[in-house]
Amino acid sequence: MNSKRLALAMLTPVAAVSLAGCGINSVPTAEENAKAKWANVQADYQRRADLIPNLVETVKGYAKQESTVLTQVVEARAKATSVQVSASDLEDPAKVAQFQQAQGALSQSLGRLLATVEAYPDLKSNQNFLALQSQLEGTENRINVSIKDYNEAVQAYNTTIRTFPDAIGAKVFYGAKPMVTYQATAPNADRAPTVNFDTGPAAATK
């Protein structure tokens, strides 16, 4: 009996090491990292959405005649904030694509709004607008960094679940599926709208 216990005690660490080498730890670790990076992407997009109402109101105070562009931004923001992708949806290309398209449409509408500001010198020098401009530019940069970090985490996760020996645990224990990377859905949609007006209209993303 003692010999059996001794053998079991000796085999347990070996089995643990073998299981660990089959993705028991690496797969969920890589998955949680990717999900955390996605949460950052969503948080940064929400930060952008939170800035837009004040931006619209500030522009409206100086450029009411731009009502069409302002309305487009408001509608695009409403659509973008209504489309949510949870961590469990990251394996669904259709849901991720829907989110991408909504955010891309908002980026384009926002770019058109910023381009119109060049025609209003008083607005360009307004302190509230300048503060919003700075915050928006910083947020757009953060979005791009978060997307890059997310895509790198997804690539690492997808590689883990497809590579031996981690692929064994990924399939047997977790039924893991590849996650979807975040791609631009329109020309230059992966770039931050330019909000520096010192170089003229061409500086604004169209």
Side-chain angles (χ1 to χ4, degrees), residues 168-180:
I168 297 174
K171 182 176 181 180
V172 175
F173 295 101
Y174 300 111
K177 298 179 181 179
M179 289 185 179
V180 182

Side-chain angles (χ1 to χ4, degrees), residues 48-82:
R48 179 177 73 168
D50 291 342
L51 289 172
I52 290 175
N54 284 339
L55 178 67
V56 169
E57 287 303 312
T58 300
V59 173
K60 187 186 297 184
Y62 289 82
K64 292 182 179 179
Q65 59 268 43
E66 304 293 347
S67 59
T68 299
V69 177
L70 291 167
T71 299
Q72 289 174 346
V73 171
V74 172
E75 291 176 347
R77 178 189 181 276
K79 177 64 179 298
T81 54
S82 70

Side-chain angles (χ1 to χ4, degrees), residues 5-107:
R5 289 180 178 177
L6 178 61
L8 179 61
M10 294 177 64
L11 288 173
T12 299
V14 175
V17 171
S18 298
L19 288 174
C22 290
I24 297 301
N25 294 323
S26 59
V27 171
T29 297
E31 181 182 25
E32 290 305 314
N33 182 48
K35 288 179 178 179
K37 300 301 184 185
W38 176 250
N40 291 339
V41 173
Q42 289 188 306
D44 289 333
Y45 271 126
Q46 184 59 52
R47 188 176 290 107
R48 179 177 73 168
D50 291 342
L51 289 172
I52 290 175
N54 284 339
L55 178 67
V56 169
E57 287 303 312
T58 300
V59 173
K60 187 186 297 184
Y62 289 82
K64 292 182 179 179
Q65 59 268 43
E66 304 293 347
S67 59
T68 299
V69 177
L70 291 167
T71 299
Q72 289 174 346
V73 171
V74 172
E75 291 176 347
R77 178 189 181 276
K79 177 64 179 298
T81 54
S82 70
V83 178
Q84 297 296 321
V85 176
S86 67
S88 60
D89 294 327
L90 294 175
E91 298 173 354
D92 188 334
K95 290 184 178 180
V96 175
Q98 185 182 22
F99 183 88
Q100 291 170 175
Q101 289 166 2
Q103 295 297 341
L106 177 54
S107 293

